């Protein structure tokens, strides 16, 4: 499809993802506001708790704090704009703000997947090579791995947003372009464009696929070795402790990577816009909401730190 002479590079996008739903917008507003507030509360609490309690100053919790920070950014990149649209009833967003939202969504989202892969590596070293854990996964190494995750994520984001910038869109008389989504995601933008998007699709499947498959391979190999090590442990108590340590992380890995692969790495002919949007809600809203509770409710160290903090607050008051 070629662009008409009046194609615009800076239209007004209409995010119509929830326009055709039978659920009242007031109810959706309350639902997503609740999700966002609980996400902020859970992740900020986890960040402050890990920073405050010296017993949580270990590499595993250092990485968990980094994950909570990226979860805060990921949910903030999408949900406040959605709440504003639901409250106003007019889901319009200028092109510049749309591309900014795409940039921050990609930056925090990709960093999230990379940090989760680093956490799998941390669990691998802790369980399969515990004698060298303090040497291999110290705070300096973790800081370098987190910084590398951010650098890779930002470079990846700059590439894809840069490929979107020259695209054109044909809208109505007011240069309004409809997107069947609730935020400015990559796929809906490409589907709505009248420009040649072969380079964008190629970048998604080659560079994006490599960036997704690399961490996936690291996670799979790490947990394969972890599983083999757990089976060789002599005591049932040791096996249960190791499974408990890794279970919450593996649950969130499957949840996050499964929804992302569903949306971005299917052939276009198999894409369903409604199913894509449901999957997008899962990894932009539900995963950042669930992460702090999954990791804290199944973790006695975090629960112990929370109890100590509450006890100290009650004594001081």
């Amino acid at each position: 499809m070629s662009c008409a002479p009046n194609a615009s590079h800076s239209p007004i996008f209409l995010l119509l993802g929830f326009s055709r739903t039978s659920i009242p917008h007031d109810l959706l507003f309350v639902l997503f506001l609740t999700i966002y507030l609980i996400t902020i509360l859970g992740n900020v609490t986890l960040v402050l708790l890990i920073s405050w309690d010296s017993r949580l100053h270990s590499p595993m919790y250092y990485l968990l704090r980094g994950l909570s920070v990226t979860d805060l950014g990921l949910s903030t990149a999408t949900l406040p704009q959605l709440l504003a649209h639901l409250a106003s009833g007019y889901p319009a967003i200028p092109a510049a703000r749309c591309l900014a939202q795409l940039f921050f969504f990609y930056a925090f989202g990709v960093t999230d997947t990379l940090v989760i892969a680093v956490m799998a590596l941390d669990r691998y070293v802790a369980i399969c090579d515990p004698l060298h854990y303090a040497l291999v996964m110290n705070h300096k190494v973790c800081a370098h791995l987190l910084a590398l995750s951010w650098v890779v994520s930002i470079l990846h984001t700059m590439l894809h947003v840069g490929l979107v910038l020259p695209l054109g869109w044909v809208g109505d008389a007011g240069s309004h372009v409809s997107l069947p989504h609730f935020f400015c995601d990559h796929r809906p933008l490409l589907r709505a464009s009248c420009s040649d998007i072969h380079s964008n699709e190629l970048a998604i499947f080659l560079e994006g696929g490599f960036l997704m498959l690399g961490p996936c391979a690291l996670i799979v190999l790490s947990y394969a070795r972890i599983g083999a090590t757990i089976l060789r442990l002599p005591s049932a108590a040791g096996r249960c402790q190791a499974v408990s340590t890794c279970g919450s992380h593996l649950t969130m890995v499957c949840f996050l990577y499964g929804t992302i692969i569903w949306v971005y790495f299917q052939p276009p002919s198999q894409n369903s816009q409604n199913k894509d949007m449901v999957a997008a809600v899962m990894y932009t809203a539900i995963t950042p909401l669930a992460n702090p509770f999954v990791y804290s409710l199944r973790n006695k160290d975090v629960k112990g730190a929370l109890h100590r903090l509450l006890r100290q607050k009650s004594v001081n008051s």
Side-chain angles (χ1 to χ4, degrees):
M1 179 174 60
S2 60
C3 290
N6 63 342
S8 174
H9 292 274
S10 56
I12 302 295
F13 292 103
L14 298 177
L15 301 175
L16 304 177
F18 289 107
S19 63
R20 290 184 289 272
T21 182
S22 59
I23 305 174
H25 282 195
D26 291 345
L27 182 58
L28 286 173
F29 178 84
V30 172
L31 174 63
F32 282 107
L33 179 61
T34 303
I35 289 174
Y36 184 57
L37 291 178
I38 295 175
T39 299
I40 297 296
L41 176 64
N43 283 287
V44 168
T45 299
L46 197 55
V47 168
L48 295 178
L49 202 60
I50 292 172
S51 301
W52 170 78
D53 197 311
S54 59
R55 301 184 194 185
L56 300 181
H57 291 177
S58 66
M60 180 178 74
Y61 296 110
Y62 185 87
L63 295 174
L64 182 55
R65 183 175 61 183
L67 181 67
S68 289
V69 171
T70 58
D71 281 339
L72 285 168
L74 180 60
S75 58
T76 302
T78 55
L79 293 186
Q81 186 70 56
L82 171 61
L83 292 171
H85 289 166
L86 291 172
S88 66
Y90 183 59
I93 181 170
R97 195 187 303 168
C98 182
L99 291 176
Q101 186 181 54
L102 176 66
F103 180 89
F104 287 110
F105 163 70
Y106 252 68
F108 285 110
V110 174
T111 304
D112 208 55
T113 62
L114 295 177
V115 172
I116 282 181
V118 173
M119 291 174 71
L121 179 64
D122 171 78
R123 291 300 83 206
Y124 162 74
V125 177
I127 294 174
C128 299
D129 194 11
L131 296 179
H132 296 95
Y133 178 73
L135 178 64
V136 176
M137 295 299 293
N138 53 55
H139 282 85
K140 184 177 180 180
V141 171
C142 289
H144 287 165
L145 289 173
L146 287 177
L148 179 62
S149 298
W150 275 105
V151 169
V152 171
S153 175
I154 290 174
L155 291 175
H156 167 83
T157 301
M158 291 173 64
L159 168 66
H160 287 277
V161 174
L163 288 173
V164 170
L165 280 173
L167 298 182
W169 291 269
V170 177
D172 58 23
S175 295
H176 291 131
V177 177
S178 298
L179 299 179
H181 215 298
F182 66 94
F183 71 97
C184 290
D185 200 0
H186 206 164
R187 282 291 190 184
L189 284 169
L190 295 184
R191 291 193 194 107
S193 175
C194 58
S195 301
D196 182 5
I197 60 171
H198 286 97
S199 57
N200 303 76
E201 295 283 358
L202 191 63
I204 289 175
F205 280 99
L206 293 182
E207 187 272 342
F210 176 78
L211 188 60
M212 183 61 58
L213 291 177
C216 273
L218 175 63
I219 292 170
V220 170
L221 291 174
S222 296
Y223 275 99
R225 291 292 304 275
I226 288 171
T229 302
I230 289 175
L231 291 176
R232 292 198 299 267
L233 291 177
S235 68
R239 288 194 295 270
C240 290
Q241 182 178 1
V243 170
S244 176
T245 302
C246 299
S248 55
H249 180 254
L250 191 56
T251 300
M252 299 315 299
V253 165
C254 296
F255 191 80
L256 178 64
Y257 275 86
T259 53
I260 291 175
I261 291 171
W262 170 269
V263 173
Y264 294 103
F265 296 99
Q266 291 187 91
S269 60
Q270 295 183 11
N271 277 328
S272 167
Q273 292 176 352
N274 291 333
K275 291 180 180 179
D276 286 358
M277 198 172 71
V278 171
V281 170
M282 293 298 179
Y283 65 75
T284 60
I286 304 303
T287 299
L289 169 70
N291 272 339
F293 298 100
V294 168
Y295 286 114
S296 60
L297 293 177
R298 298 189 60 180
N299 190 306
K300 63 181 181 181
D301 294 333
V302 174
K303 289 190 288 187
L306 182 59
H307 290 154
R308 286 191 293 274
L309 177 61
L310 295 176
R311 189 162 53 247
Q312 178 177 319
K313 292 293 183 182
S314 63
V315 170
N316 293 339
S317 60

